[in-house]
Amino acid sequence: MPQVIAGTYEIGMQIGAGGGGIVYLGRHLRLDKQIVLKADKRTLNTKPEKLRREVDMLKGLSHTYIPQVYDFVQEQGAVFTVMDYIDGESLDKRLKRGELPDQPQVIHWACQLLEALCYLHSRPPYGVLHGDIKPANIMLRPSGDICLIDYNIALVLGENGAVKVGRSRGYASPEHYGAEFGDLEKSRGAMEETGTLEITEDMGATEPMSETEPMEWPDSAGPTEPMRVHGKESRVSFTSGLGSTGTSGGQRVTLDARSDIYSIGATLYHLLSGHCPAQNAADVKPLGPEICSPQVSEIVRKAMAVSPDQRYQSAAEMLAAFRQLHRRDVRVIRHKRRMAATAALLSMMFLAGGTSSLLGAKQLEQIQQALALAEYSANTLAEGNVSGAVELALQAIPRKESVLNAPVTAQARKALTDALGVYDLSDGFKALDTLELPSAPFGIQVSPEGTRFAVTYAYEAAVFDTESLQRLAALPLQNSALSDVVFVDEDRLVYAGDTGVTAYDLDAGTIIWTGETATTLAVSADGTRVAAVNRDEDHAVVYRMDSGDIEAECSFEGQHMQVAANDIFASPDDSVFALNGDGSMLAVTFENGGLWILDVDQPEENLILYDDSEYRHFEGGFCGKYFAFAASGGGEPLFGLIDTKEAVYLGGYESPDVFSLTAGEAGIYLANGNVLVRFDPDTQEETELAYTDQEKITGFSVGEESILTATDGPGFAFYDRGANRM
């Protein structure tokens, strides 16, 4: 029968063991979710009130890239740390298999690690030091994000007054060995000879999980508080002795935030090169251009400087360095006529950007308060207090509409309607019918007014009437999953036919015209022009829709769009290929991360937003004179807005979550995390359309009366235009 501790946690199979204890997979009986329990067999020599204080601090930590600690439990001579179960595998296992990530992926993980450190280092009162960052303590989730584990979770446990601190070879900073200037072998020998370490007031140490060399504190210097970082009071002091048998005359060296900076630099060094860096910091050779870009090499070199004063002084500073890698002058890196904005316009842009950021922060705070009030209202209603529930729900709704106020959240609306009992939201949408296809579908396209839709599969496009589900046409396609079908209006469409790009009249059932071989297509919003490019070509062809005459050829100057290694069965849909409203501009992304806006009629007016970049996934489109785009897959996900008439970057922002974007004459719609909004390019205001609680939105469709969202969780959901989930 499984062992249950504290009446709450069921212990399952052992999943790991190290110098600090045994790790078990378990289950939280009340929450019915998987957890991890780390059992420490050492004696507990800490006052209960101090233990509770530290437990409360650790339980209060909550961040996307660190696991949640639930509790410490002392039972049957062992102390158990209860925390989140992180699905995935540690990065050291991938390294042992020889699986090296590319530079964009390493940068993506580095930003996530540094965000976690920014959070830990800033916790009150002094911050929390991790102390043992290495690939073995970084979990890669199935989503592709990382989680920094084993952060300071056994700080107050002592064995006869001794606490161990992790010292992982190659990843530990010189301070871990008691060396200030990199003379590691000398100071290490002195340390082993004297065994002398000194801990300052309010300090403690971490517990290594594995592959570490433990160092014990002397009995007289037992632990008092967690290892912390922030300012002069928050350091762990070593007295190396340097040949002496006592602490007098010894040289004091400290661990602080910069020690974690060294370890993260060493971890990135290993991920990029495939080799653990030398134990002696002075012997670490810089990463060469055959391994990574000089800019990334410089960031790693600075993080691993022997002297802490020469490193980044905070995780935030190092994070900023990585984010600056992706910042090109997005206004126009190369504008062939060198159109320049005036200084006054730039000043206005900066002021507008600052105001927008402040408003965004204020509205985010309002949204968080509204979500909390909505939850309180639901709890109050469950207790039978209807009037109290109504009052709380009303507090979650702004008294008046204003640019200073965040939009009303779906949770606030639902809380109020539940409390008032105005209407029932239990009715939902039901499947209309099921259509059998010859093979798995590659994609689906809907006509502008929704009366018809086309489904593509290998290698055909079937067009159906939406109401009757009658099949109207079966159109042969190129043997590629990239083959597009695009509606011009309810009666006409263009498709990547097996004999070339083809315009087709659905009512007449006849071909209007046929052009050159192509796979990827775009149609202008006014239906006058069609752009086409073949997967192997370095140019696009623009046709007149009514006649099929070629109006222009747009050169990519030797560049090629991104194509899957095997496009016969796979279309990653990572590229932008879009015409603006009248077909005078064509936006294209390339395999090197480039993003261009080509002037169809005047090639000398082309705009190049990115000549190249580390981004590998783009979404985007035109809305009037604006071009909106989202980029990810090589750094911090980015959303940006361009005024194509003025050739000016108007604004945008980055986020840890990937953006999902559609843009057209009907508007710009942007999903990020669990929120979907309509973005107004003129005012840069956002109107909430959907909020999905915990799941992240992975796709959406916006109709006249309702919105459909798909998430990374099971199923999908419909919302009305008031952001209420239906």
Side-chain angles (χ1 to χ4, degrees), residues 49-170:
E49 60 271 16
K50 183 179 296 182
L51 174 61
R52 179 50 49 198
R53 195 162 59 243
E54 304 310 332
V55 170
D56 290 342
M57 181 195 71
L58 292 173
K59 287 168 65 177
L61 296 177
S62 179
H63 191 273
T64 304
Y65 305 127
I66 61 176
Q68 179 70 51
V69 172
Y70 295 117
D71 208 352
F72 281 178
V73 177
Q74 184 180 13
E75 191 161 311
Q76 299 179 359
V79 177
F80 294 86
T81 305
V82 186
M83 70 199 88
D84 267 336
Y85 168 72
I86 306 300
D87 188 20
E89 70 171 350
S90 57
L91 293 183
D92 69 319
K93 294 181 179 179
R94 294 170 62 93
L95 291 172
K96 289 175 182 177
R97 294 197 299 266
E99 298 177 10
L100 293 185
D102 57 20
Q103 177 174 295
Q105 185 63 74
V106 173
I107 293 173
H108 179 65
W109 291 339
C111 290
Q112 293 182 342
L113 287 170
L114 289 164
E115 286 182 28
L117 285 188
C118 287
Y119 177 82
L120 289 174
H121 291 175
S122 64
R123 290 306 86 197
Y126 304 115
V128 177
L129 189 70
H130 187 285
D132 196 20
I133 299 172
K134 57 185 177 181
N137 282 341
I138 302 171
M139 296 291 291
L140 178 61
R141 301 175 187 265
S143 65
D145 294 330
I146 55 88
C147 188
L148 180 60
I149 64 172
D150 205 22
Y151 63 97
N152 249 358
I153 54 177
L155 302 176
V156 295
L157 304 177
E159 183 179 24
N160 299 323
V163 170
K164 297 178 181 178
V165 59
R167 191 177 68 180
S168 300
R169 292 178 181 271

Side-chain angles (χ1 to χ4, degrees), residues 449-612:
E449 296 181 13
T451 63
R452 288 163 176 178
F453 65 93
V455 182
T456 58
Y457 46 86
Y459 295 101
E460 193 174 68
V463 185
F464 297 90
D465 180 272
T466 304
E467 186 170 350
S468 67
L469 298 184
Q470 177 185 356
R471 190 168 81 166
L472 304 178
L475 310 173
L477 301 176
Q478 289 282 331
N479 290 347
S480 170
L482 302 174
S483 297
D484 275 343
V485 175
V486 183
F487 281 92
V488 179
D489 49 38
E490 300 307 295
D491 301 326
R492 299 178 299 165
L493 55 77
V494 290
Y495 63 94
D498 56 352
T499 60
V501 56
T502 304
Y504 190 83
D505 187 315
L506 288 169
D507 281 349
T510 58
I511 292 174
I512 303 172
W513 53 263
T514 301
E516 298 178 6
T517 301
T519 50
T520 305
L521 309 174
V523 176
S524 61
D526 63 7
T528 61
R529 285 180 167 181
V530 177
V533 62
N534 195 37
R535 59 191 171 193
D536 301 322
E537 301 295 337
D538 62 354
H539 68 276
V541 180
V542 179
Y543 301 89
R544 284 190 59 84
M545 179 57 207
D546 56 0
S547 64
D549 294 337
I550 294 178
E551 292 210 305
E553 288 193 4
C554 300
S555 173
F556 299 162
E557 300 181 14
Q559 302 273 34
H560 295 268
M561 294 184 64
Q562 186 169 339
V563 177
N566 183 356
D567 68 313
I568 300 298
F569 301 108
S571 173
D573 199 22
D574 286 332
S575 301
V576 170
F577 188 75
L579 283 170
N580 68 340
D582 61 5
S584 62
M585 290 186 172
L586 175 66
V588 189
T589 59
F590 302 111
E591 59 186 357
N592 69 342
L595 171 57
W596 296 11
I597 298 180
L598 307 177
D599 192 305
V600 174
D601 301 314
Q602 302 180 67
E604 68 276 6
E605 295 292 333
N606 290 345
L607 304 180
I608 298 184
L609 308 176
Y610 289 97
D611 227 347
D612 60 77

Side-chain angles (χ1 to χ4, degrees), residues 121 123-129 198-204 224-237 252-258:
H121 291 175
R123 290 306 86 197
Y126 304 115
V128 177
L129 189 70
E198 181 180 325
I199 185 167
T200 60
E201 187 177 359
D202 292 335
M203 295 300 112
T224 56
E225 299 282 345
M227 182 184 292
R228 296 171 175 172
V229 309
H230 195 68
K232 295 182 178 179
E233 297 179 75
S234 57
R235 297 181 175 181
V236 179
S237 293
R252 173 172 289 186
V253 185
T254 60
L255 291 184
D256 58 20
R258 299 168 299 180

Side-chain angles (χ1 to χ4, degrees), residues 241-293:
L242 299 179
S244 171
T245 58
T247 60
S248 60
Q251 189 172 19
R252 173 172 289 186
V253 185
T254 60
L255 291 184
D256 58 20
R258 299 168 299 180
S259 306
D260 276 350
I261 295 296
Y262 183 95
S263 296
I264 200 170
T267 297
L268 299 178
Y269 188 104
H270 195 169
L271 291 173
L272 288 164
S273 68
H275 303 287
C276 181
Q279 178 177 327
N280 190 330
D283 294 338
V284 176
K285 297 180 180 180
L287 297 171
E290 74 282 1
I291 295 175
C292 63
S293 69

